[in-house]
C-alpha cells in the first residue's frame, strides 16, 4: 500500500485492535495489537503488547512495551521498558531505561543509557553504552565506547576502536552507596579483540589488538599485541606477548 493511502489508528484509554498496514499508530494508555504491523510511525505511551512482528519507519516507546515477535525499524527510541521476544533490527536505537531482546540485535547506531539484555549477538557500526548491559553472544561494532555505570558483560567483543572507561562518580557519598548496595561497575568478557583498545575496570581472559592500553582496575590473563602495549595503574596482566 502506498504511504499516502495508509490510514491512522489511535487507541486511547484501554483497547485493542488488529494488525495491518497503517500510516500512524498511536496508543495512549493500555493497548493490545493482534497480528503483524506495517507502519510509518508507532507511538506507544503506557502499557502496550504487540502480538506479532513490527515493521516501522519510527517506533517510540514511553512506558512499558512487549513485542511478541520481531522488530524492523529505521529509528527506535525507548524511554521506559521494552521486551522484544524475537530478533530486532534498528538502524538507530536509543534506550533510556531498559530493553531486552531475546534474539539478535543489529543496527547502525546503538546507544544505551540505562540497561540492556541481548540473549543473542549484538552488531552495529557504532555501539555506545552508559550503564549496564548483558550480551550473551558476540558484541561486534566498528566503534565501541562504554562508560561503566553498572556491570557490563559479553561473551566476546570485537571492533576497530574499543574504549572502556570507569564511571566518574568517585566522591565519598557515591563510594558509600556502592558499598552498601553491592554496586559493581566493571566489564567482563572472555575475549576482546580490536585494532585500538583502551580498557579500564575490565576482566578478560584474552585481549588482542594492534595497540593495547590497559588502564587502571583491570584483570587480564593474556594480552597479545602487534604494535604497542602499555599497562597503567593497579591493573594486572598475567602474560603479554607481541605477535
Amino acid at each position: 500500500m502506498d504511504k499516502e493511502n495508509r490510514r491512522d489508528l489511535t487507541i486511547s484509554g484501554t483497547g485493542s485492535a488488529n494488525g495491518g498496514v497503517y500510516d500512524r499508530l498511536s496508543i495512549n494508555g493500555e493497548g493490545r495489537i493482534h497480528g503483524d504491523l506495517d507502519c510509518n510511525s508507532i507511538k506507544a505511551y503506557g502499557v502496550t503488547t504487540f502480538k506479532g512482528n513490527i515493521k516501522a519507519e519510527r517506533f517510540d516507546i514511553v512506558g512499558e512495551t512487549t513485542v511478541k515477535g520481531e522488530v524492523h525499524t529505521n529509528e527506535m527510541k525507548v524511554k521506559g521498558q521494552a521486551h522484544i521476544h524475537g530478533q530486532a533490527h534498528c538502524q538507530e536505537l536509543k534506550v533510556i531505561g531498559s530493553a531486552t531482546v531475546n534474539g539478535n540485535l543489529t543496527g547502525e547506531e546503538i546507544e544505551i543509557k540505562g540497561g540492556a539484555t541481548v540473549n543473542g549477538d549484538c552488531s552495529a557500526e557504532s555501539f555506545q553504552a552508559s550503564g549496564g548491559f548483558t550480551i550473551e553472544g558476540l558484541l561486534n561494532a566498528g566503534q565501541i565506547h562504554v562508560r561503566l555505570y553498572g556491570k557490563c558483560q559479553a561473551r566476546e567483543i570485537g571492533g576497530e576502536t574499543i574504549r572502556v572507561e570507569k564511571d566518574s562518580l568517585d566522591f565519598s557519598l557515591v563510594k558509600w552507596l556502592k558499598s552498601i548496595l553491592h554496586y559493581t561497575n566493571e566489564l567482563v568478557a572472555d575475549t576482546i579483540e580490536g585494532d585500538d583498545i583502551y580498557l579500564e575496570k575490565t576482566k578478560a581472559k584474552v585481549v588482542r589488538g594492534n595497540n593495547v592500553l590497559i588502564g587502571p582496575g583491570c584483570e587480564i590473563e593474556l594480552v597479545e599485541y602487534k604494535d604497542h602495549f602499555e599497562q597503567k595503574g593497579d591493573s594486572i596482566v598475567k602474560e603479554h606477548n607481541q605477535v
Side-chain angles (χ1 to χ4, degrees):
M1 183 182 295
D2 294 337
K3 290 184 178 181
E4 57 269 19
N5 294 325
R6 298 184 178 195
R7 66 190 190 280
D8 296 341
L9 173 63
T10 300
I11 297 175
S12 297
T14 301
S16 63
N18 292 325
V21 180
Y22 300 97
D23 182 17
R24 291 174 294 183
L25 169 61
S26 179
I27 301 173
N28 294 280
E30 185 174 350
R32 190 179 297 266
I33 304 296
H34 302 275
D36 295 344
L37 277 173
D38 185 341
C39 295
N40 292 327
S41 171
I42 300 174
K43 293 183 178 180
Y45 296 166
V47 180
T48 309
T49 300
F50 296 91
K51 291 190 171 183
N53 301 315
I54 290 178
K55 180 181 179 182
E57 292 291 321
R58 183 183 176 95
F59 190 5
D60 292 325
I61 295 171
V62 178
E64 183 178 345
T65 291
T66 300
V67 180
K68 297 187 176 181
E70 298 186 354
V71 171
H72 294 265
T73 181
N74 285 338
E75 185 178 356
M76 183 173 179
K77 291 185 178 180
V78 179
K79 294 182 179 179
Q81 300 178 28
H83 191 169
I84 300 169
H85 286 207
Q87 318 281 352
H89 177 78
C90 310
Q91 291 292 100
E92 296 182 19
L93 171 64
K94 186 172 184 178
V95 177
I96 304 174
S98 66
T100 299
V101 179
N102 285 354
N104 296 328
L105 171 61
T106 58
E108 296 294 323
E109 297 181 11
I110 296 175
E111 183 178 359
I112 309 296
K113 292 185 177 180
T117 299
V118 180
N119 292 322
D121 297 332
C122 178
S123 60
E125 290 298 319
S126 172
F127 179 90
Q128 298 184 57
S130 300
F133 62 80
T134 298
I135 298 172
E136 296 293 343
L138 168 67
L139 168 58
N140 181 35
Q143 308 291 324
I144 297 174
H145 188 190
V146 177
R147 292 186 180 273
L148 296 166
Y149 292 93
K151 186 169 184 178
C152 300
Q153 58 186 35
R155 181 170 54 82
E156 297 179 61
I157 298 175
E160 296 174 10
T161 301
I162 301 171
R163 186 173 185 87
V164 179
E165 299 174 295
K166 66 178 181 178
D167 69 63
S168 58
L169 304 177
D170 288 332
F171 51 90
S172 59
L173 176 59
V174 174
K175 288 184 177 180
W176 176 74
L177 288 173
K178 288 179 180 180
S179 66
I180 65 172
L181 296 175
H182 305 289
Y183 173 89
T184 301
N185 58 330
E186 64 179 7
L187 172 67
V188 179
D190 287 344
T191 303
I192 301 174
E193 188 166 352
D195 294 333
D196 296 297
I197 301 174
Y198 175 75
L199 304 176
E200 296 179 358
K201 297 281 288 190
T202 298
K203 294 181 180 178
K205 294 179 180 178
V206 180
V207 175
R208 296 188 182 96
N210 294 335
N211 302 294
V212 179
L213 174 55
I214 304 298
C218 294
E219 297 180 22
I220 312 297
E221 294 185 15
L222 172 64
V223 172
E224 294 181 341
Y225 66 99
K226 182 179 179 181
D227 298 322
H228 179 75
F229 165 71
E230 189 175 350
Q231 179 180 345
K232 291 185 175 182
D234 59 349
S235 59
I236 298 171
V237 177
K238 294 183 179 179
E239 183 180 356
H240 57 89
N241 298 318
Q242 189 169 19
V243 296

